[in-house]
């Protein structure tokens, strides 16, 4: 009997040890892993010996321990079954089984909202003075529309919305507010799902809200009418779990599929367009249905409410360009130059009124070019001057880039006048000027004109010749752990040194004789495209643009050897396709010169 008890105890101890050690043995040590249950990148391993290593390692282990997702989801299901509680990192239960994002503190009306409203007014002025219609569209969040189902004890107060929209009306902003419409509809139709997608509206809600917008657009463009159900295949899709979660909901949600035809030009712009690395969505669709040419071309700055639902605005446009909003709206002039819309829509959702999404300092400092009501008359009235430097043209697939071959440090605004079109150049902070243009807007050998306005309001004009930028790119592998990546046509940088970690990509300028570091031209610690300008003020001679995978122990590099001329402007670009602690993938490393 005693022997049998000893065996049972030993088996129990072994099982207990297995239960404790199995998660440790299954710890996920892969770099750059994104958690599906809380929609964020998991912590990477800290380096031994660094300050704070014990606490950092404990946090790393808590993130990476094996079966974490299984344990979190099991805990969620157990709480749901036993106590009717939803303990997920992103979600919470409301009344009657409704699911919402985690509740946040009520937001007071303040200077952020006034600054935002004033920026929107500037957006409207920029568009309207260029003959383009502008519409601001406000979307309520799920808690606002369904506040009657919010968790017990939650007093949801969004009175700041009324104060902000009232201020917008004082400023003359055209505001399309969907809060009242969707709240009224929610009493008889499911414009937000009961559980699935705790933060966004569904296709039905988007259908009604888009029609609200189209009614207003139709006042300016008679060809625009409201959507009808007959234009869509309408059904339901069974969603089994909450997004980024394994929490079971098994909810049938509305589904609208447009039956029209279109062409997708998005890929032609994606790699060359300047987009904030955090908000990189772009879609460019051309409506191919009969009669679409009578509809307006619309540029829409939009968030997640529309990024995955282009089927609603597309049927009432000839071309529909959707750009992820937030920080990208600060570059309104850049996108306007490229896409030349007939109407601009700025769509914003209630829970995005934060500095994280809209930079307060950036909004307050917006200073886009005023409109030229008569470009030719403005040119004739300006004082003439001449420059030897060309307007350099770099042609792309969907858009071209132009940059000036000299510094204009005293200029406040610079306009490029080509044919009957006026384009606004943007300054990079160091007196160098560039912009994007529609592909083919200017051609090599063409004569254009610059109108330069300084901070005192004085205007100067000068002719400028368009010259194709000289491609100086001549790359070589600068270190042993760099290989050509056939998949991307770029380079892959790896490291085989223990504890070595890539943290960023840096573009440096090096002198070759003697070989020495001069300056860092650019740097990024995110994936995405990087573009910039450099005015060479050193002596004419051989130099190296060194694109470096920056690490804590040993860097890996790709070199571009260049003969740089003093006083010449150079445009560089590259794309970081992957940035992982153990490897970096780069593509599109190019250096162009304003002079051939």
């Amino acid at each position: 009997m005693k022997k049998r008890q000893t065996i049972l105890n030993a088996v129990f101890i072994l099982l207990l040890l297995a239960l404790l050690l199995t998660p440790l043995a299954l710890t996920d040590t892969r770099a750059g892993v994104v958690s599906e249950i809380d929609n964020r990148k998991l912590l990477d391993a800290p380096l031994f010996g660094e300050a704070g290593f014990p606490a950092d390692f404990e946090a790393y282990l808590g993130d990476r321990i094996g079966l974490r997702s299984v344990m979190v989801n099991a805990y969620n299901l157990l709480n749901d079954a036993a106590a009717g509680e939803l303990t997920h990192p992103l979600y919470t239960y409301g009344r009657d089984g409704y699911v919402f994002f985690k509740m946040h503190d009520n937001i007071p009306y303040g200077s952020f909202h006034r600054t935002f409203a004033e920026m929107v007014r500037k957006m409207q002025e920029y568009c309207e003075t260029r003959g383009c219609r502008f519409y601001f569209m406000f979307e309520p969040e799920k808690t606002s529309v369904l506040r009657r189902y919010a968790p017990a004890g939650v007093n949801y107060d969004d009175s700041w919305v009324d104060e902000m929209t009232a201020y917008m009306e004082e400023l003359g902003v055209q505001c399309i507010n969907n809060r009242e419409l969707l709240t009224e509809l929610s009493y008889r139709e499911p414009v937000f799902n009961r559980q699935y997608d705790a933060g966004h509206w569904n296709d039905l809600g988007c259908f009604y809200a888009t029609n609200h917008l189209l009614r207003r657009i139709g006042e300016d463009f008679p060809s625009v009418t409201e959507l009808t159900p007959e234009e869509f295949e309408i059904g339901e899709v069974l969603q089994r779990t909450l997004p980024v979660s394994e929490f079971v909901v098994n909810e049938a949600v509305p589904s609208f599929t447009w039956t029209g035809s279109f062409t997708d030009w998005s890929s032609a712009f994606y790699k060359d367009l300047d987009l904030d690395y955090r908000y990189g969505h772009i879609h460019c669709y051309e409506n191919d249905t009969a009669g679409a040419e009578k509809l307006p071309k619309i540029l829409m700055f939009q968030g997640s409410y529309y990024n995955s639902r282009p089927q609603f605005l597309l049927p009432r446009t000839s071309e529909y360009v959707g750009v992820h909003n937030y920080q990208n709206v600060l570059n309104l002039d850049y996108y306007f130059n490229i896409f030349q819309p007939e109407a601009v829509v700025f769509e914003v959702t209630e829970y995005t009124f934060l500095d994280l999404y809209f930079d307060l300092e950036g909004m307050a400092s917006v200073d886009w070019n005023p409109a030229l009501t008569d470009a030719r008359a403005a040119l004739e009235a300006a004082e003439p001057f001449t420059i030897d430097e060309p307007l350099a043209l770099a042609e792309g697939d969907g858009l071209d880039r132009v940059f000036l071959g000299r510094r204009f440090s005293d200029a406040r605004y610079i306009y490029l006048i080509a044919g009957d079109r006026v384009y606004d150049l943007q300054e990079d902070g160091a007196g160098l000027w560039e912009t994007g243009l529609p592909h083919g807007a200017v051609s090599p050998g063409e004569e254009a004109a610059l109108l330069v306005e300084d901070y005192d309001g004085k205007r100067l004009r000068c002719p400028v010749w368009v010259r194709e930028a000289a491609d100086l790119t001549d790359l070589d592998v600068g270190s042993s752990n760099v290989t050509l990546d056939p998949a991307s046509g770029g380079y892959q940088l790896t490291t085989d040194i223990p504890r070595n970690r890539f943290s960023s990509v840096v573009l440096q300028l090096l002198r070759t004789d003697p070989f020495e570091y001069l300056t860092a031209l650019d740097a990024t610690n995110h994936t995405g495209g990087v573009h910039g300008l450099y005015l060479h003020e050193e002596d004419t001679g051989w130099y190296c643009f060194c694109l470096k995978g920056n690490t804590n122990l040993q860097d890996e590099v790709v070199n571009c050897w260049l003969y740089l001329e003093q006083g010449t402007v150079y445009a560089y670009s590259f794309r970081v396709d992957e940035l992982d602690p153990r490897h970096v993938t780069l593509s599109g490393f190019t250096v162009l010169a304003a002079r051939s």
Side-chain angles (χ1 to χ4, degrees):
M1 186 72 177
K2 185 176 180 181
K3 182 178 180 181
R4 181 184 177 188
Q5 186 63 45
T6 301
I7 293 173
L8 289 173
N9 288 342
V11 170
F12 175 77
I13 291 171
L14 289 173
L15 289 173
L16 182 61
L17 286 173
L19 186 64
L20 294 174
L21 295 177
T22 296
L24 290 174
L26 296 176
T27 297
D28 189 348
T29 59
R30 296 172 298 161
V33 176
V34 175
S35 167
E36 293 185 355
I37 62 172
D38 38 11
N39 196 27
R40 63 176 176 85
K41 184 179 177 182
L42 298 180
L43 297 174
D44 288 317
L47 296 176
F48 181 76
E50 286 188 341
F53 174 80
D56 291 344
F57 184 77
E58 182 180 356
Y60 164 78
L61 191 60
D63 254 11
R64 299 302 196 108
I65 194 165
L67 306 178
R68 175 178 179 264
S69 295
V70 174
M71 290 186 284
V72 169
N73 285 316
Y75 180 70
N76 290 339
L77 293 173
L78 180 63
N79 271 275
D80 182 45
E85 294 180 358
L86 180 51
T87 55
H88 192 276
L90 296 178
Y91 307 118
T92 186
Y93 266 139
R95 293 180 173 90
D96 297 342
Y98 276 80
V99 174
F100 297 90
F101 278 143
K102 291 288 188 182
M103 295 294 110
H104 55 75
D105 292 338
N106 288 324
I107 299 173
Y109 178 69
S111 60
F112 180 93
H113 303 102
R114 289 188 291 274
T115 302
F116 179 90
E118 289 159 4
M119 179 198 68
V120 176
R121 174 58 188 170
K122 292 177 183 177
M123 293 179 71
Q124 182 169 303
E125 286 179 351
Y126 182 91
C127 294
E128 290 183 343
T129 55
R130 287 162 172 80
C132 174
R133 298 294 185 177
F134 177 84
Y135 311 93
F136 175 73
M137 187 178 184
F138 178 85
E139 320 296 7
E141 61 179 282
K142 182 177 180 179
T143 313
S144 173
V145 172
L146 300 177
R147 65 186 71 199
R148 60 192 181 277
Y149 297 113
V154 171
N155 178 24
Y156 189 78
D157 182 2
D158 56 357
S159 56
W160 65 269
V161 175
D162 298 321
E163 295 182 79
M164 185 190 72
T165 52
Y167 184 48
M168 282 188 171
E169 289 176 4
E170 287 181 29
L171 297 173
V173 172
Q174 300 191 54
C175 182
I176 299 161
N177 189 340
N178 282 312
R179 183 178 62 178
E180 183 177 338
L181 170 70
L182 293 174
T183 301
E184 180 182 341
L185 285 168
S186 71
Y187 283 92
R188 59 181 186 273
E189 297 194 61
V191 290
F192 285 81
N193 300 320
R194 184 169 178 268
Q195 293 190 329
Y196 179 74
D197 203 340
H200 305 92
W201 58 24
N202 55 32
D203 280 8
L204 183 63
C206 191
F207 176 83
Y208 283 120
T210 304
N211 270 345
H212 192 193
L213 170 66
L214 294 175
R215 283 195 293 275
R216 177 63 191 87
I217 294 178
E219 295 175 14
D220 300 318
F221 298 91
S223 60
V224 174
T225 57
E226 291 185 42
L227 300 168
T228 63
E230 291 72 27
E231 298 172 73
F232 298 86
E233 293 178 358
I234 301 176
E236 291 183 332
V237 175
L238 179 63
Q239 299 292 352
R240 298 188 179 279
T241 63
L242 290 176
V244 296
S245 168
E246 295 179 16
F247 189 85
V248 177
V249 293
N250 286 326
E251 182 176 11
V253 302
S255 172
F256 283 59
T257 303
W258 183 47
T259 57
S261 61
F262 64 93
T263 302
D264 185 354
W265 299 106
S266 306
S267 60
F269 294 92
Y270 175 69
K271 288 191 175 182
D272 293 328
L273 199 66
D274 284 336
L275 291 162
D276 188 281
Y277 71 89
R278 293 162 293 185
Y279 311 111
H281 178 86
I282 170 74
H283 63 236
C284 307
Y285 298 132
E286 183 176 354
N287 188 343
D288 296 330
T289 56
E293 68 279 358
K294 299 177 182 178
L295 298 169
K297 180 178 181 179
I298 292 182
L299 167 62
M300 185 172 187
F301 292 97
Q302 60 193 37
S304 53
Y305 270 45
Y306 272 95
N307 282 345
S308 61
R309 292 184 167 91
Q311 69 269 33
F312 292 103
L313 194 59
L314 177 55
R316 295 299 181 266
T317 65
S318 57
E319 294 180 44
Y320 170 27
V321 178
V323 175
H324 212 155
N325 54 21
Y326 313 136
Q327 312 298 1
N328 290 317
V329 302
L330 301 178
N331 295 323
L332 166 65
D333 52 346
Y334 168 76
Y335 299 108
F336 195 97
N337 271 0
I338 294 168
F339 297 112
Q340 297 291 303
E342 296 171 80
V344 170
V345 179
F346 180 23
E347 182 264 344
V348 190
T349 308
E350 184 175 349
Y351 56 75
T352 64
F353 282 79
L354 301 168
D355 197 52
L356 167 68
Y357 295 102
F358 298 102
D359 178 66
L360 178 59
E361 183 178 348
M363 291 192 298
S365 60
V366 159
D367 186 24
W368 298 310
N369 287 22
L372 293 179
T373 54
D374 187 334
R376 292 299 162 186
L379 278 176
E380 291 175 5
E383 294 184 19
F385 80 108
T386 58
I387 58 173
D388 295 330
E389 295 81 1
L391 177 72
L393 168 67
E395 294 185 286
D397 292 331
L399 66 128
D400 299 336
R401 289 179 176 273
V402 294
F403 58 99
L404 296 180
R406 60 167 290 178
R407 175 178 286 154
F408 284 89
S409 55
D410 295 330
R412 182 177 184 182
Y413 309 116
I414 297 184
Y415 303 85
L416 169 64
I417 301 170
D420 60 351
R421 286 288 189 177
V422 178
Y423 303 98
D424 302 328
L425 299 189
Q426 291 92 36
E427 196 257 348
D428 71 347
L432 300 177
W433 296 76
E434 66 173 336
T435 194
L437 299 179
H439 180 59
V442 295
S443 304
E446 180 181 347
E447 184 178 0
L450 297 180
L451 182 66
V452 182
E453 182 175 322
D454 65 20
Y455 281 85
D456 294 327
K458 181 180 179 181
R459 287 180 171 178
L460 303 172
R461 73 173 188 271
C462 76
V464 62
W465 287 95
V466 180
R467 180 180 296 173
E468 186 174 358
D471 190 344
L472 306 181
T473 310
D474 183 15
L475 305 180
D476 76 38
V477 173
S479 55
S480 59
N481 289 323
V482 179
T483 56
L484 178 67
D485 180 16
S488 67
Y491 288 87
Q492 186 170 82
L493 289 62
T494 59
T495 180
D496 53 9
I497 301 173
R499 296 165 50 200
N500 197 32
R501 298 287 186 271
F502 289 108
S503 60
S504 61
V505 175
V506 181
L507 181 61
Q508 297 179 334
L509 177 66
L510 307 177
R511 192 193 307 275
T512 59
D513 186 20
F515 195 79
E516 62 182 359
Y517 166 84
L518 286 177
T519 187
L521 301 177
D522 220 321
T524 181
N525 55 3
H526 304 282
T527 57
V530 177
H531 306 86
L533 300 176
Y534 164 65
L535 173 62
H536 186 64
E537 297 178 302
E538 302 283 335
D539 293 337
T540 297
W542 284 97
Y543 294 83
C544 176
F545 273 30
C546 175
L547 192 56
K548 181 179 74 169
N550 199 46
T551 67
N552 57 303
L553 295 177
Q554 178 176 302
D555 303 329
E556 306 295 340
V557 301
V558 176
N559 291 323
C560 182
W561 305 96
L562 304 164
Y563 190 79
L564 302 182
E565 296 183 7
Q566 188 179 54
T568 297
V569 175
Y570 298 87
Y572 58 81
S573 62
F574 61 90
R575 186 171 186 83
V576 182
D577 297 306
E578 291 181 278
L579 180 53
D580 183 276
R582 301 297 294 176
H583 70 270
V584 174
T585 303
L586 306 170
S587 61
F589 185 15
T590 306
V591 181
L592 305 172
R595 296 175 180 171
S596 58

